[in-house]
Amino acid sequence: MKPHAFVAMPFGKKPGHDGELIDFNAVYDNLLKPAAEAAGLELFRADQELAAGDIKTDMFQELLIADLVVVDLTLDNPNVWYELGVRHALRARGVVLVQGPRANQPFDIYTDRKYNYNIKNGVPDPATLERDKAEITKMVKATLESWHGRKISPVYQLLPHLEEPQWQALKAGNVLEFWQVHDAWENRIDLARKSGHIGDILVLADEAPIAAFRAEARIKAGIALRKAEHFDFALEQLEQGLAIDPANIVGQREKGICLQRLAAQGKTGHSADKARAHYRELLTSHPDDSETWALLGRVDKDAWTDTWRHGDWSPEQRREEAAYQDALLRAAIESYRQAFRRNQGHYYSGINALTLMHLYRALTGDTRYDTEAEPMAGAVRFSADCETDPNQQFWAKATLGDLAVLAGTPETVAAVYKEAIAKAEKDWFALNSTLAQLRLLQDLGFRPECVAAGIATFERALQRLNPPEQQPRQILLFSGHMVDAPGRAIPRFPLDKVPLAEAAIANALDQLGVGPEDLAFTQGASGGDLIFAEACQARGVKLQLLQPFPEPDFIERSVVPAAGDWRSRYYAVKAKLAAECPPRCMTKELGESERDPYERCNLWLLNTALSYGPEKVRFVCLWNGGDGDGPGGTRHMVEEVKKRTGQVVWLDTRKLG
């Protein structure tokens, strides 16, 4: 969906300041609407003039959350001024002022930047119309691009500490249509997230009707990518969302996590100090945010463990170095401690602070935390016992198990951890996360009997579960010409070239060394797609078909028109698909859209491939280098791929043979 703009202006024919009638419908149709559309916006304008104080709720809703409000101040129209005032009160930015000829400037906005368009005989002046449109388009684009630059609203300029309301709070009255569209879109985002279809989220993010929705979707995509450990791509999505909504604290926290993980991987340009600085900056504006304090604690804790956790060191060497780095350990304790002090319900930070306090005493003999540790243990226990969220029950019970490790017996440790495991619902990652913490304690020789009991309990539970499926080694993406239909005027991929294409595609896949560890994506159309699909299946590559239409329509449009028996080949490929990978239909998964379906499906394929990590994507195309028969052809896919990755294997149909 395109970004939204609301136009606040008079309607019909009204006398201007010199008495001449101005046709404002002509101003809208011939000037403002085409200028805004040229900037990529979709416009909304109330369809009738209303008395002041009687604004329609749908118009009011657009006024509140539109990406941009274009205000025509040619006349001193009370409705227009009221609408501008509402926008200035609730939004610091996103206003473009335009006006036709007028004798004076209103005092309140005398210094505000406005574009003066020309009127002749009551309509936009034909002699300057193109220039006026171009200048308004330029002004609209500049305003959108500098969304979080200088505040435009005088309200927010004069009250610099005033914060804009969250867009979710601006749900006006009975605007059913607008929010029904949003709710349907959001439901698809959430379904895609729960199903692990990150590529779906990326496509839907581009189709959000307003900037606020796009920010939300980008941040959700970033979270999903971060959980899949694609930290570079996750960071990219988060930064796109934060460019729209920099105050989104969830997005800012996630950005810090990605910076931290990239530093841990040793990625160029990333360091723990960079992540630490990000969290420190976030805490200047959110000093009581426990989650950010806890994330800072994780950075500090990792900095400490990195100094002593060397695989070839003896237990004595590790303990000696861990004790020597006591300043780093105290920094981690302090960050977790600050998190728990600001929110005693945040038992995660409390148990981490408490565990590190016990480690500090065991390593250094220093008792400075003893007086605090006992009451903190009670507070952590009470907090975990009070957990009511069913999705957090494992973590609450695991926290009680961690407390048993610090002060219980091997028998109580095993008993409490078994209660936690019963709440894990076979969550391999949750179980393994707690096990990793226990192994850290084991490396330092801390309470060995209790720690060993905990490790044995979790190892036994994990033996009953299948570890998460390994990520594909390579992601193969294909786009190519369909075989020519009988009677095609200018041949592009005639049937007699199919054997040559089969050989070329097979050779390309062999050069890439593809095999069962890889995953391939294509539509499944006649010609290149199906040849590629067959070659992948012959090499044990897992295959997923993503199609722009329901399967019967897709077969009629993209399989049977070509010369040759492609229907049988399609069903043979489909029969070999893994049970968990049936063909996916774009309209079913993503809903309807104004986009061209073929271009949209190309983007769906590409984003799905990229969601596994851009560095893994290998794009193979069977293409003559020319334009397609319509939108969304192989040229479009090639252009989109080149924006994201240079891994392109081009098989030129003109050179086959």
Side-chain angles (χ1 to χ4, degrees):
M1 298 180 187
K2 295 178 180 178
H4 271 216
F6 175 79
V7 181
M9 66 181 300
F11 297 88
K13 295 181 179 180
K14 300 287 189 299
H17 285 271
D18 59 0
E20 179 185 22
L21 284 178
I22 299 176
D23 185 349
F24 284 99
N25 289 344
V27 171
Y28 177 79
D29 291 334
N30 301 327
L31 176 61
L32 299 183
K33 187 171 186 289
E37 288 177 344
L41 290 164
E42 183 175 71
L43 268 67
F44 176 87
R45 182 177 76 145
D47 57 2
Q48 59 180 328
E49 187 170 350
L50 302 168
D54 189 27
I55 294 180
K56 281 185 173 180
T57 53
D58 56 351
M59 181 177 76
F60 196 64
Q61 184 71 79
E62 289 281 350
L63 183 65
L64 296 181
I65 64 175
D67 293 303
L68 196 73
V69 174
V70 179
V71 184
D72 189 319
L73 297 173
T74 305
L75 306 181
D76 291 329
N77 182 292
N79 285 334
V80 173
W81 281 107
Y82 179 72
E83 291 156 16
L84 176 60
V86 169
R87 179 68 177 196
H88 276 167
L90 291 171
R91 282 288 178 260
R93 304 167 183 86
V95 174
V96 167
L97 303 179
V98 299
Q99 62 184 28
R102 57 177 298 155
N104 53 63
Q105 297 297 320
F107 175 76
D108 287 342
I109 59 164
Y110 184 81
T111 60
D112 288 9
R113 183 187 175 201
K114 297 175 284 292
Y115 183 76
N116 297 281
Y117 62 81
N118 298 283
I119 293 291
K120 185 174 182 179
N121 298 326
V123 299
D125 187 348
T128 61
L129 179 59
E130 293 306 314
R131 185 189 70 192
D132 288 343
K133 282 195 292 189
E135 289 299 318
I136 293 173
T137 297
K138 186 188 302 181
M139 194 172 180
V140 166
K141 286 182 176 179
T143 302
L144 289 172
E145 290 170 359
S146 62
W147 182 261
H148 289 287
R150 184 180 65 86
K151 295 176 180 178
I152 293 173
S153 164
V155 176
Y156 288 88
Q157 288 177 8
L158 294 170
L159 301 172
H161 298 295
L162 183 65
E163 293 186 5
E164 293 179 290
Q166 292 295 312
W167 65 266
Q168 294 95 333
L170 301 179
K171 194 168 186 176
N174 297 315
V175 191
L176 295 179
E177 183 178 355
F178 182 92
W179 286 100
Q180 283 172 351
V181 171
H182 165 263
D183 291 347
W185 172 86
E186 186 174 52
N187 286 339
R188 292 191 183 280
I189 290 275
D190 286 338
L191 283 172
R193 178 182 56 80
K194 291 173 183 176
S195 303
H197 294 141
I198 303 172
D200 296 18
I201 303 176
L202 297 174
V203 175
L204 289 165
D206 282 333
E207 298 176 352
I210 63 168
F213 300 169
R214 292 193 294 279
E216 178 189 29
R218 290 290 175 196
I219 288 169
K220 285 185 176 180
I223 293 170
L225 286 162
R226 188 267 299 169
K227 289 181 177 178
E229 301 189 349
H230 302 311
F231 303 119
D232 277 317
F233 198 26
L235 183 60
E236 177 185 319
Q237 298 304 313
L238 291 166
E239 288 181 334
Q240 287 186 40
L242 291 170
I244 301 169
D245 184 12
N248 189 303
I249 190 168
V250 173
Q252 292 288 5
R253 290 188 202 125
E254 287 290 331
K255 178 180 177 179
I257 295 171
C258 289
L259 291 172
Q260 186 178 351
R261 299 293 191 271
L262 288 167
Q265 291 178 347
K267 289 293 183 73
T268 304
H270 294 281
S271 66
D273 287 341
K274 193 173 181 179
R276 185 179 289 105
H278 176 78
Y279 290 136
R280 288 288 183 192
E281 183 178 357
L282 188 54
L283 286 169
T284 60
S285 55
H286 298 83
D288 294 324
D289 184 55
S290 292
E291 192 64 31
T292 302
W293 276 109
L295 290 169
L296 178 60
R298 176 62 187 268
V299 176
D300 294 333
K301 178 182 170 184
D302 286 350
W304 173 63
T305 58
D306 286 346
T307 63
W308 58 264
R309 211 170 191 189
H310 298 278
D312 56 348
W313 281 12
S314 67
E316 292 75 18
Q317 287 176 306
R318 287 196 291 265
R319 285 179 61 85
E320 181 183 352
E321 185 64 19
Y324 181 77
Q325 299 292 345
D326 59 332
L328 291 175
L329 179 52
R330 286 196 302 274
I333 292 171
E334 183 59 24
S335 295
Y336 282 122
R337 176 205 242 170
Q338 290 291 342
F340 190 59
R341 284 184 172 183
R342 283 163 168 76
N343 179 6
Q344 286 75 50
H346 202 263
Y347 50 82
Y348 166 80
S349 56
I351 191 60
N352 273 281
L354 193 59
T355 299
L356 294 181
M357 287 176 181
H358 279 261
L359 272 175
Y360 187 84
R361 190 182 196 281
L363 291 168
T364 67
D366 190 330
T367 61
R368 71 176 66 191
Y369 296 114
D370 285 7
T371 56
E372 184 178 356
E374 185 175 350
M376 181 179 282
V380 170
R381 182 179 299 280
F382 181 77
S383 176
D385 276 334
C386 289
E387 180 62 76
T388 58
D389 185 348
N391 296 322
Q392 297 299 316
Q393 285 300 310
F394 167 77
W395 298 108
K397 297 293 185 184
T399 296
L400 298 177
D402 295 343
L403 286 170
V405 169
L406 299 181
T409 65
E411 292 74 24
T412 59
V413 168
V416 179
Y417 275 144
K418 282 193 285 185
E419 288 188 21
I421 291 166
K423 301 290 186 180
E425 297 184 353
K426 300 181 180 180
D427 186 336
W428 189 93
F429 287 102
L431 300 181
N432 194 57
S433 175
T434 305
L435 178 59
Q437 173 69 8
L438 289 167
R439 284 177 173 153
L440 182 147
L441 300 179
Q442 183 183 50
D443 286 347
L444 291 174
F446 178 79
R447 303 206 75 205
E449 294 83 4
C450 287
V451 170
I455 289 174
T457 304
F458 277 97
E459 286 181 339
R460 184 167 178 173
L462 285 167
Q463 286 175 357
R464 299 193 301 270
L465 301 180
N466 293 322
E469 186 177 339
Q470 290 292 318
Q471 287 291 304
R473 182 175 58 95
Q474 294 183 106
I475 303 299
L476 307 168
L477 176 65
F478 183 86
S479 179
H481 296 312
M482 293 191 294
V483 164
D484 295 344
R488 180 182 175 91
I490 302 176
R492 184 178 62 182
F493 183 22
L495 184 61
D496 61 9
K497 282 198 173 184
V498 166
L500 299 175
E502 290 172 339
I505 289 174
N507 182 62
L509 296 184
D510 290 340
Q511 291 294 317
L512 291 170
V514 306
E517 297 176 342
D518 302 325
L519 173 63
F521 293 96
T522 192
Q523 286 190 29
S526 66
D529 284 11
L530 284 173
I531 295 170
F532 169 79
E534 291 166 344
C536 285
Q537 289 182 330
R539 288 158 178 79
V541 176
K542 187 175 179 180
L543 179 68
Q544 174 73 74
L545 303 180
L546 303 182
Q547 298 168 344
F549 310 109
E551 188 177 41
D553 292 344
F554 176 76
I555 291 172
E556 288 303 312
R557 294 183 191 214
S558 300
V559 178
V560 299
D565 185 15
W566 294 99
R567 185 193 295 268
S568 296
R569 293 177 74 164
Y570 173 85
Y571 281 114
V573 165
K574 181 182 175 183
K576 294 178 183 177
L577 294 176
E580 70 274 16
C581 284
R584 298 183 68 213
C585 169
M586 183 176 68
T587 52
K588 179 181 177 181
E589 304 290 344
L590 305 182
E592 300 291 341
S593 171
E594 298 173 0
R595 277 180 170 175
D596 175 83
Y598 296 104
E599 287 192 352
R600 191 186 190 207
C601 194
N602 274 351
L603 295 172
W604 188 31
L605 282 158
L606 176 57
N607 280 308
T608 301
L610 291 171
S611 70
Y612 290 87
E615 72 284 353
K616 293 184 177 182
V617 177
R618 308 290 184 266
F619 175 56
V620 181
C621 63
L622 184 71
W623 179 44
N624 67 356
D627 294 329
D629 293 336
T634 302
R635 173 180 284 280
H636 173 255
M637 180 69 98
V638 170
E639 290 171 350
E640 292 297 325
V641 168
K642 285 184 175 179
K643 294 176 185 177
R644 299 310 311 265
T645 175
Q647 304 282 352
V648 178
V649 178
W650 178 12
L651 307 176
D652 193 335
T653 56
R654 298 167 298 181
K655 300 177 181 179
L656 293 178

